[in-house]
Amino acid sequence: MNGRPSVLFVCVHNAGRSQMAAGWLRHLAGDAVEVRSAGSEPADQINPAAVEAMREVGIDITGRTPAKLLWKTAEESDVIVTMGCGDACPIFPGKRYEDWKLDDPAGKDVAAVRPIRDEIRARVTDLLADLIPAEGT
């Protein structure tokens, strides 16, 4: 990774898990990390329960739009985090991959999405600590 690391979060619809993960990383890392998200079969809109769950913790993802996973986007990313996209996610030699096993928030109400949101936060926090170690470590 040269300069600012780039992280791509990928799930099928790019409407829940990957959008929440991108929201958390933007919130926690600020400009220190380039954040991207995409889906193998993007939905028309972000999951409203995911939007509400993130709003509850002060993160607004309403302006985001599900995006199609493009070869170029993956190729230009340093770290690719997949979340249930299976074989639809491309594999690039030399890239760092993480596959996060997370429940899909599709069709769930906000109460069911909160634990998913919180698990994503914990994983993003760990990823960020690995990408940008604290001063003096």
Side-chain angles (χ1 to χ4, degrees):
M1 287 179 271
N2 296 332
R4 190 169 74 141
S6 175
V7 177
L8 171 62
F9 295 103
V10 183
C11 66
V12 175
H13 299 297
N14 190 223
R17 294 168 289 190
S18 57
Q19 291 287 352
M20 288 191 289
W24 275 120
L25 188 54
R26 284 185 193 99
H27 177 75
L28 296 170
D31 292 335
V33 176
E34 183 177 357
V35 182
R36 303 169 175 162
S37 70
S40 54
E41 297 174 27
D44 294 332
Q45 65 180 16
I46 296 179
N47 179 330
V51 170
E52 180 58 29
M54 294 300 284
R55 182 179 293 126
E56 290 177 352
V57 293
I59 300 172
D60 183 5
I61 60 172
T62 57
R64 303 292 170 180
T65 303
K68 177 78 173 155
L69 175 60
L70 301 175
W71 186 270
K72 180 177 171 58
T73 305
E75 190 174 47
E76 293 176 349
S77 299
D78 299 310
V79 179
I80 300 173
V81 179
T82 58
M83 303 175 200
C85 62
D87 294 338
C89 294
I91 302 296
F92 292 92
K95 299 293 178 186
R96 174 179 167 183
Y97 282 88
E98 293 191 18
D99 185 40
W100 294 355
K101 305 284 188 228
L102 297 162
D103 289 338
D104 188 347
K108 293 179 169 55
D109 64 17
V110 71
V113 173
R114 287 181 189 119
I116 301 167
R117 172 202 66 200
D118 296 344
E119 184 175 351
I120 290 171
R121 181 179 201 260
R123 290 174 186 243
V124 166
T125 300
D126 290 345
L127 175 63
L128 182 58
D130 191 47
L131 290 174
I132 305 173
E135 293 289 324
T137 59

